[in-house]
Amino acid sequence: MKNGWLPRDATGLWVVNSTGCVTAGGRVCAVAVLSDGHASMAEGVARVEEAAREAVDVLAGRF
């Protein structure tokens, strides 16, 4: 698991990313979520977590 976040100097908006390996549907999968343009770090983290959950659900066949 590797997470990253950075407020952009030019815009003040946040870049938030997360990558890692998960087991989904009996398989080990690499998942990466890259995002930008968030008003706050908390908003970016929430969006990245939601996208990661949805990606893992698809990989595990739970969609």
Side-chain angles (χ1 to χ4, degrees):
M1 170 80 67
K2 173 68 174 129
N3 297 311
W5 50 91
L6 174 72
R8 301 296 299 208
D9 289 336
T11 64
L13 298 176
W14 284 80
V15 174
V16 179
N17 304 310
S18 184
T19 61
C21 291
V22 298
T23 301
R27 300 177 304 186
V28 177
C29 302
V31 176
V33 180
L34 310 175
S35 70
D36 68 354
H38 304 287
S40 69
M41 181 181 154
E43 175 191 310
V45 168
R47 295 274 178 113
V48 166
E49 288 177 349
E50 179 183 357
R53 276 192 299 274
E54 290 181 10
V56 171
D57 284 348
V58 169
L59 292 169
R62 299 184 305 251
F63 50 89

